[in-house]
PDB file of all heavy atoms in Angstrom:
ATOM      1  N   HIS E1088      13.027  33.937 -23.659  1.00  0.00           N
ATOM      2  CA  HIS E1088      13.496  33.930 -22.274  1.00  0.00           C
ATOM      3  C   HIS E1088      12.300  34.307 -21.423  1.00  0.00           C
ATOM      4  O   HIS E1088      11.808  35.437 -21.495  1.00  0.00           O
ATOM      5  CB  HIS E1088      14.652  34.896 -22.080  1.00  0.00           C
ATOM      6  CG  HIS E1088      15.900  34.423 -22.737  1.00  0.00           C
ATOM      7  ND1 HIS E1088      17.085  35.107 -22.685  1.00  0.00           N
ATOM      8  CD2 HIS E1088      16.160  33.317 -23.484  1.00  0.00           C
ATOM      9  CE1 HIS E1088      18.010  34.446 -23.359  1.00  0.00           C
ATOM     10  NE2 HIS E1088      17.473  33.366 -23.855  1.00  0.00           N
ATOM     11  N   ASP E1148      17.103  44.696 -18.044  1.00  0.00           N
ATOM     12  CA  ASP E1148      17.593  43.354 -18.332  1.00  0.00           C
ATOM     13  C   ASP E1148      18.372  42.759 -17.172  1.00  0.00           C
ATOM     14  O   ASP E1148      18.288  41.568 -16.897  1.00  0.00           O
ATOM     15  CB  ASP E1148      18.488  43.358 -19.574  1.00  0.00           C
ATOM     16  CG  ASP E1148      17.695  43.360 -20.863  1.00  0.00           C
ATOM     17  OD1 ASP E1148      16.526  42.943 -20.843  1.00  0.00           O
ATOM     18  OD2 ASP E1148      18.249  43.785 -21.885  1.00  0.00           O
ATOM     19  N   ALA E1149      19.139  43.588 -16.474  1.00  0.00           N
ATOM     20  CA  ALA E1149      19.979  43.087 -15.378  1.00  0.00           C
ATOM     21  C   ALA E1149      19.121  42.433 -14.298  1.00  0.00           C
ATOM     22  O   ALA E1149      19.408  41.303 -13.870  1.00  0.00           O
ATOM     23  CB  ALA E1149      20.820  44.207 -14.791  1.00  0.00           C
ATOM     24  N   SER E1150      18.071  43.101 -13.857  1.00  0.00           N
ATOM     25  CA  SER E1150      17.239  42.506 -12.804  1.00  0.00           C
ATOM     26  C   SER E1150      16.390  41.356 -13.354  1.00  0.00           C
ATOM     27  O   SER E1150      16.094  40.398 -12.645  1.00  0.00           O
ATOM     28  CB  SER E1150      16.360  43.554 -12.119  1.00  0.00           C
ATOM     29  OG  SER E1150      15.439  44.095 -13.017  1.00  0.00           O
ATOM     30  N   PHE E1151      16.007  41.434 -14.629  1.00  0.00           N
ATOM     31  CA  PHE E1151      15.252  40.341 -15.255  1.00  0.00           C
ATOM     32  C   PHE E1151      16.053  39.048 -15.185  1.00  0.00           C
ATOM     33  O   PHE E1151      15.524  37.994 -14.836  1.00  0.00           O
ATOM     34  CB  PHE E1151      14.931  40.705 -16.707  1.00  0.00           C
ATOM     35  CG  PHE E1151      14.254  39.612 -17.495  1.00  0.00           C
ATOM     36  CD1 PHE E1151      12.948  39.225 -17.214  1.00  0.00           C
ATOM     37  CD2 PHE E1151      14.909  38.977 -18.544  1.00  0.00           C
ATOM     38  CE1 PHE E1151      12.313  38.233 -17.955  1.00  0.00           C
ATOM     39  CE2 PHE E1151      14.284  37.992 -19.286  1.00  0.00           C
ATOM     40  CZ  PHE E1151      12.987  37.615 -18.988  1.00  0.00           C
ATOM     41  N   TYR E1152      17.339  39.115 -15.493  1.00  0.00           N
ATOM     42  CA  TYR E1152      18.170  37.912 -15.517  1.00  0.00           C
ATOM     43  C   TYR E1152      18.688  37.500 -14.143  1.00  0.00           C
ATOM     44  O   TYR E1152      19.366  36.486 -14.028  1.00  0.00           O
ATOM     45  CB  TYR E1152      19.306  38.067 -16.534  1.00  0.00           C
ATOM     46  CG  TYR E1152      18.792  37.931 -17.937  1.00  0.00           C
ATOM     47  CD1 TYR E1152      18.550  39.051 -18.731  1.00  0.00           C
ATOM     48  CD2 TYR E1152      18.496  36.689 -18.471  1.00  0.00           C
ATOM     49  CE1 TYR E1152      18.041  38.924 -20.019  1.00  0.00           C
ATOM     50  CE2 TYR E1152      17.986  36.554 -19.763  1.00  0.00           C
ATOM     51  CZ  TYR E1152      17.764  37.669 -20.521  1.00  0.00           C
ATOM     52  OH  TYR E1152      17.262  37.530 -21.793  1.00  0.00           O
ATOM     53  N   GLU E1153      18.358  38.245 -13.103  1.00  0.00           N
ATOM     54  CA  GLU E1153      18.705  37.824 -11.743  1.00  0.00           C
ATOM     55  C   GLU E1153      17.787  36.713 -11.262  1.00  0.00           C
ATOM     56  O   GLU E1153      18.151  35.933 -10.408  1.00  0.00           O
ATOM     57  CB  GLU E1153      18.636  39.012 -10.775  1.00  0.00           C
ATOM     58  CG  GLU E1153      19.794  39.962 -10.937  1.00  0.00           C
ATOM     59  CD  GLU E1153      19.664  41.197 -10.055  1.00  0.00           C
ATOM     60  OE1 GLU E1153      18.640  41.342  -9.334  1.00  0.00           O
ATOM     61  OE2 GLU E1153      20.585  42.027 -10.082  1.00  0.00           O
ATOM     62  N   GLU E1154      16.567  36.655 -11.809  1.00  0.00           N
ATOM     63  CA  GLU E1154      15.629  35.602 -11.412  1.00  0.00           C
ATOM     64  C   GLU E1154      15.864  34.361 -12.276  1.00  0.00           C
ATOM     65  O   GLU E1154      16.621  34.393 -13.238  1.00  0.00           O
ATOM     66  CB  GLU E1154      14.184  36.092 -11.541  1.00  0.00           C
ATOM     67  CG  GLU E1154      13.771  36.427 -12.973  1.00  0.00           C
ATOM     68  CD  GLU E1154      12.359  36.965 -13.083  1.00  0.00           C
ATOM     69  OE1 GLU E1154      12.161  38.169 -12.885  1.00  0.00           O
ATOM     70  OE2 GLU E1154      11.462  36.151 -13.373  1.00  0.00           O
TER      71      GLU E1154
END
Side-chain angles (χ1 to χ4, degrees):
H1088 289 181
D1148 280 338
S1150 64
F1151 175 69
Y1152 285 101
E1153 286 175 358
E1154 64 182 84

